[in-house]
Amino acid sequence: MTSSSSPSQETKRLAHDYPEGLRADALMEEDVAWSHEIDSERDGAQYDRSERAALRRVAGLSTELEDVTEVEYRQLRLERVVLVGVWTTGTVQDADNSLAELAALAETAGALVLDGVVQRRDKPDAATYIGSGKALELRDIVADSGADTVICDGELSPGQLIQLEDVVKVKVIDRTALILDIFAQHAKSREGKAQVALAQMQYMLPRLRGWGQSLSRQMGGGRGGLATRGPGETKIETDRRRIREKMAKMRREIAEMKTGREIKRQERRRNKVPSVAIAGYTNAGKSSLLNRLTGAGVLVENALFATLDPTVRRAETPSGRLYTLADTVGFVRHLPHHLVEAFRSTMEEVGDSDLILHVVDGSHPVPEEQLAAVREVIRDVGATGVPEIVVINKADAADPLVLQRLMRVEKRSIAVSARTGQGIAELLALIDDELPRPSVEIEALVPYTHGKLVARAHTEGEVLSEEHTADGTLLKVRVHEELAADLAPYAPAPLN
């Protein structure tokens, strides 16, 4: 039997045999010495000390901490979706157009559309939207295509969402949630973000769900001790209360922002500056038209709801009259009521304007439906009494027969192309004719020492003629009553 020395004896031997400076090296050499008979049976690869101490990357665990609300990033993370629609009224072409628009919305939100199905029913099923049998067929379509989301072309109740998800086994969202997601991606201003957040919370409130302990009751409101009194709130009730508190806060913030915008509108009214609002269907070319008329430089993209925040720019008619041009949020069929309510303060620009430029996409298969959808929202915000000009945009890409049909039906209409500039000069002249004109026509010889009155006549009124004489500026203008009263002392005396 081979004897072995104890660790203490081995340490004493090393201390005796090696000088002080070489003891650590000798111990190191003994630790890393490798024997084929002993070490060949060890499990796993043997790494150097530096490799064992280093960070080793594990593949497949990265989640790339990026902001998923950025559109560019969402385009890299395409959800695979299947679209579902219920055809209740209209023709087959109407149902197909509605689903095609839903596909465009899904692509704008950052999804890859794999398939789309439509079911003919008198009304949506109260339980699963499409009926239990069709829901099972939809489950097979989802499984075969490898989709991870189902988007329904309508607003589903909380019960329909839950029961349809239970059948198809993937996430189910409706048209309203999809539009809210697009708005959340595109809102950039503080007011736009607040309005979208309010609409999302209004949509989320009745659709909160919980499971397991999330539905258990919390302790009651007693003063302590083992047996506190009262059942208390469930977790879902607490969540609903917090959402209501946040909604109240958001409404206060939006009201404060509305006050600031109202002050600006009052200033424009005080200066008698006419206002023109651009309204229309999403992706009809409203921002392109604003850029063409004013050079505003607003983002233009071939996508639904590409620009969400309202823009107001100063413009001038061919005759020199100043006015403001406001670009509003785009509309869409079945626009969620949550959005109409949340964006009501923004849409007030339409109701307070002197003229509405109703932009419609002339290259759309059914532009009449776009006109009807926008006018429905205009009625909701109480702007039916404002004069309207129908601007048929994208005339360069539209079917001439469609343009003729629209212009025959819409008497106050004009065909333009914001991309090429076709018809823009005629549109500016039409705006000049349609804007309300000052009611008082007056002639005055304004001294050169009162140049501010001449400047006001140019900005607040319509100058019919202007002549510089030895005694001052001879003006013939059409102005509002307040400015007419200021010019009256300089009106020439009538001849007897």
Side-chain angles (χ1 to χ4, degrees):
M1 182 175 180
T2 304
S3 62
S4 61
S5 59
S6 65
S8 61
Q9 292 174 343
E10 187 65 24
T11 303
K12 291 178 181 179
R13 183 185 66 78
L14 290 171
H16 179 269
D17 295 343
Y18 290 92
E20 181 70 24
L22 299 178
R23 290 176 193 168
D25 293 339
L27 288 171
M28 180 73 73
E29 290 172 359
E30 186 180 63
D31 286 342
V32 300
W34 190 83
S35 170
H36 181 76
E37 293 80 13
I38 299 174
D39 296 329
S40 61
E41 301 299 327
R42 292 179 180 175
D43 293 332
Q46 302 303 307
Y47 297 104
D48 290 339
R49 178 176 296 220
S50 61
E51 289 186 73
R52 285 187 278 125
L55 290 175
R56 186 164 58 91
R57 186 179 298 277
V58 180
L61 295 183
S62 173
T63 55
E64 293 185 87
L65 298 180
E66 298 285 342
D67 186 1
V68 297
T69 62
E70 293 295 330
V71 180
E72 294 82 1
Y73 176 74
R74 289 296 297 272
Q75 288 174 348
L76 299 177
R77 295 289 190 274
L78 298 181
E79 290 189 45
R80 301 164 63 85
V81 302
V82 171
L83 309 180
V84 181
V86 173
W87 170 28
T88 57
T89 58
T91 63
V92 178
Q93 187 63 39
D94 295 336
D96 291 345
N97 289 338
S98 181
L99 211 65
E101 183 178 88
L102 186 66
L105 288 168
E107 291 176 357
T108 302
L112 178 63
V113 179
L114 302 178
D115 204 350
V117 293
V118 176
Q119 186 200 8
R120 184 74 168 95
R121 293 180 64 95
D122 293 334
K123 61 180 181 179
D125 182 67
T128 59
Y129 183 66
I130 56 176
S132 57
K134 296 299 180 183
L136 293 174
E137 293 182 23
L138 178 62
R139 182 187 63 186
D140 297 336
I141 294 174
V142 169
D144 294 341
S145 61
D148 49 35
T149 305
V150 170
I151 304 178
C152 298
D153 191 16
E155 185 168 343
L156 273 62
S157 67
Q160 288 174 323
L161 282 172
I162 294 173
Q163 294 188 52
L164 190 56
E165 277 188 355
D166 289 342
V167 176
V168 299
K169 305 301 181 185
V170 296
K171 179 175 67 175
V172 177
I173 63 173
D174 57 12
R175 184 188 182 94
T176 301
L178 179 61
I179 295 176
L180 286 171
D181 182 78
I182 297 173
F183 272 49
Q185 292 180 36
H186 292 182
K188 300 300 180 184
S189 68
R190 178 169 171 259
E191 183 174 12
K193 291 179 179 179
Q195 290 168 330
V196 172
L198 176 60
Q200 285 179 320
M201 286 187 285
Q202 287 177 323
Y203 175 80
M204 186 193 311
L205 185 60
R207 291 170 174 81
L208 285 180
R209 28 177 129 167
W211 57 90
Q213 291 300 313
S214 296
L215 291 174
S216 63
R217 292 196 177 273
Q218 302 174 9
M219 298 299 288
R223 291 180 173 270
L226 295 177
T228 54
R229 294 184 294 276
E233 288 181 305
T234 61
K235 176 66 166 58
I236 199 168
E237 289 171 343
T238 305
D239 292 341
R240 285 174 179 158
R241 176 167 50 82
R242 289 176 177 172
I243 288 178
R244 291 190 186 99
E245 292 172 355
K246 288 183 179 179
M247 287 171 58
K249 180 182 177 181
M250 284 293 179
R251 288 192 177 99
R252 289 194 297 269
E253 291 181 359
I254 293 173
E256 293 173 0
M257 300 175 202
K258 175 184 175 182
T259 302
R261 196 170 51 256
E262 179 63 29
I263 292 173
K264 294 179 182 177
R265 278 202 294 262
Q266 289 176 358
E267 184 69 15
R268 293 199 295 267
R269 292 194 201 103
R270 188 177 67 82
N271 293 326
K272 308 299 181 183
V273 179
S275 61
V276 178
I278 301 178
Y281 213 77
T282 180
N283 206 31
K286 298 184 300 301
S287 298
S288 300
L289 185 63
L290 178 69
N291 290 342
R292 174 65 69 171
L293 294 175
T294 66
V298 177
L299 170 69
V300 174
E301 186 179 352
N302 185 20
L304 306 186
F305 302 111
T307 50
L308 185 61
D309 302 315
T311 304
V312 180
R313 290 292 183 270
R314 184 174 176 173
E316 188 174 336
T317 65
S319 64
R321 300 172 61 199
L322 294 177
Y323 66 97
T324 59
L325 200 61
D327 182 18
T328 60
V329 62
F331 304 144
V332 72
R333 278 182 298 185
H334 313 301
L335 189 68
H337 292 291
H338 312 297
L339 285 175
V340 175
E341 289 300 321
F343 280 81
R344 183 173 293 276
S345 57
T346 303
M347 293 176 183
E348 286 174 358
E349 293 287 350
V350 178
D352 290 340
S353 63
D354 297 300
L355 180 66
I356 296 176
L357 297 184
H358 185 165
V359 183
V360 60
D361 183 359
S363 62
H364 191 270
V366 192
E368 290 85 357
E369 292 185 2
Q370 290 191 351
L371 288 167
V374 174
R375 283 169 176 161
E376 182 180 353
V377 179
I378 289 176
R379 282 196 300 270
D380 290 342
V381 298
T384 53
V386 182
E388 174 191 72
I389 298 176
V390 176
V391 181
I392 308 169
N393 195 21
K394 306 182 184 180
D396 55 321
D399 185 348
L401 296 177
V402 175
L403 292 179
Q404 292 176 11
R405 186 180 74 230
L406 284 174
M407 296 183 72
R408 185 172 60 252
V409 174
E410 301 292 338
K411 302 303 180 184
R412 294 161 55 89
S413 61
I414 184 171
V416 304
S417 172
R419 186 177 67 87
T420 64
Q422 172 190 343
I424 296 299
E426 292 81 358
L427 175 60
L428 287 171
L430 188 57
I431 292 174
D432 198 356
D433 293 337
E434 293 293 334
L435 282 178
R437 296 183 175 276
S439 56
V440 181
E441 186 174 323
I442 188 172
E443 185 175 351
L445 181 62
V446 182
Y448 290 118
T449 55
H450 292 72
K452 288 185 177 179
L453 283 177
V454 178
R456 285 183 60 191
H458 279 279
T459 57
E460 300 177 22
E462 183 180 359
V463 178
L464 303 179
S465 65
E466 183 178 11
E467 181 183 354
H468 298 287
T469 67
D471 299 324
T473 304
L474 181 62
L475 290 175
K476 185 177 181 180
V477 293
R478 187 179 287 114
V479 294
H480 52 83
E481 294 180 357
E482 182 182 347
L483 182 54
D486 294 338
L487 290 172
Y490 307 104
L495 298 175
N496 296 326

